[in-house]
Amino acid sequence: DAGITQSPRHKVTETGTPVTLRCHQTENHRYMYWYRQDPGHGLRLIHYSYGVKDTDKGEVSDGYSVSRSKTEDFLLTLESATSSQTSVYFCAISASRWETQYFGPGTRLLVL
Amino acid sequence: AQTVTQSQPEMSVQEAETVTLSCTYDTSESDYYLFWYKQPPSRQMILVIRQEAYKQQNATENRFSVNFQKAAKSFSLKISDSQLGDAAMYFCAYTRIGGATNKLIFGTGTLLAVQP
């Protein structure tokens, strides 16, 4: 199994509060991704990174920001959480651009 | 825009039997990869199998095999000798080669139950 951890694994927060989710990898992979999983939608890409300090938007990026200051860490921030951001968030990594993506265990976020 | 469709929200199979999960996709690209991921109750996303569009030979991984029909844009997953541990949500996914992002596009999933 790819060495990917996510923290926290579960979080309950209130509307309007900032939230940061962390993805940590031990594989030294260049590419990292954040997806959200919602019923009826499968997984959808929020943001991705192709190197330290290099990030770009995915298809559902509104309300989210990311940062990557080290190869091993990719942070996802909800600046002001809303109930529509209640979801399960997955981090994924890949060694190169077209290599298979491997997923972390997921973070369940509930915004009240 | 590319789309992936899984038309079977739920399927059921008897232990030791064979089951086929369907997936169709829509793309105008010629170079792409297709995947099946398994998500058991633990929620972990596990890669089952990958198919490169330029390969005519269908991918196989132990009891899992695919039927890749490029012209029909169909990518079904066959699970042989089904086991209780195969019970999970199965997602079909597509990624285009050469685009700006390596974005996986997922279907909505098929929930597979395995009956003892």
Side-chain angles (χ1 to χ4, degrees), chain A residues 37 40-43, chain B residues 4-13 19-24 35-41 45 48 75-77 79 86-93 106-114:
Chain A
Q37 181 179 22
H41 289 279
L43 280 76
Chain B
V4 175
T5 301
Q6 293 179 251
S7 59
Q8 306 154 315
E10 297 182 12
M11 295 278 288
S12 182
V13 63
V19 64
T20 298
L21 309 184
S22 300
C23 173
T24 59
F35 304 85
W36 279 98
Y37 282 90
K38 169 185 177 181
Q39 187 178 42
M45 293 288 288
V48 175
F75 182 60
S76 61
L77 175 70
I79 306 174
D86 295 333
M89 182 75 86
Y90 286 82
F91 291 96
C92 179
F106 285 85
T108 52
T110 296
L111 183 62
L112 178 67
V114 181

Side-chain angles (χ1 to χ4, degrees), chain A residues 1-5 24-27 93:
Chain A
D1 290 344
I4 313 168
T5 57
H24 179 78
Q25 58 139 333
T26 59
E27 305 297 319
I93 65 173

Side-chain angles (χ1 to χ4, degrees), chain A residues 51-53 67-75:
Chain A
V52 173
K53 296 191 182 347
S67 65
R68 191 170 179 199
S69 59
K70 298 185 289 185
T71 298
E72 58 266 34
D73 289 326
F74 191 32
L75 303 181

Side-chain angles (χ1 to χ4, degrees), chain A residues 25-99:
Chain A
Q25 58 139 333
T26 59
E27 305 297 319
N28 200 34
H29 283 0
R30 179 182 175 189
Y31 287 80
M32 299 185 75
Y33 313 82
W34 278 107
Y35 291 85
R36 60 177 289 173
Q37 181 179 22
D38 304 291
H41 289 279
L43 280 76
R44 293 177 291 173
L45 182 66
I46 305 171
H47 282 281
Y48 70 102
S49 170
Y50 48 96
V52 173
K53 296 191 182 347
D54 293 323
T55 65
D56 207 348
K57 296 179 180 180
E59 63 179 306
V60 290
S61 59
D62 287 349
Y64 302 95
S65 63
V66 291
S67 65
R68 191 170 179 199
S69 59
K70 298 185 289 185
T71 298
E72 58 266 34
D73 289 326
F74 191 32
L75 303 181
L76 176 71
T77 297
L78 291 63
E79 302 291 346
S80 177
T82 67
S83 58
S84 65
Q85 293 175 313
T86 291
S87 187
V88 180
Y89 291 86
F90 285 95
C91 173
I93 65 173
S94 65
S96 62
R97 193 172 182 184
W98 310 118
E99 285 296 314

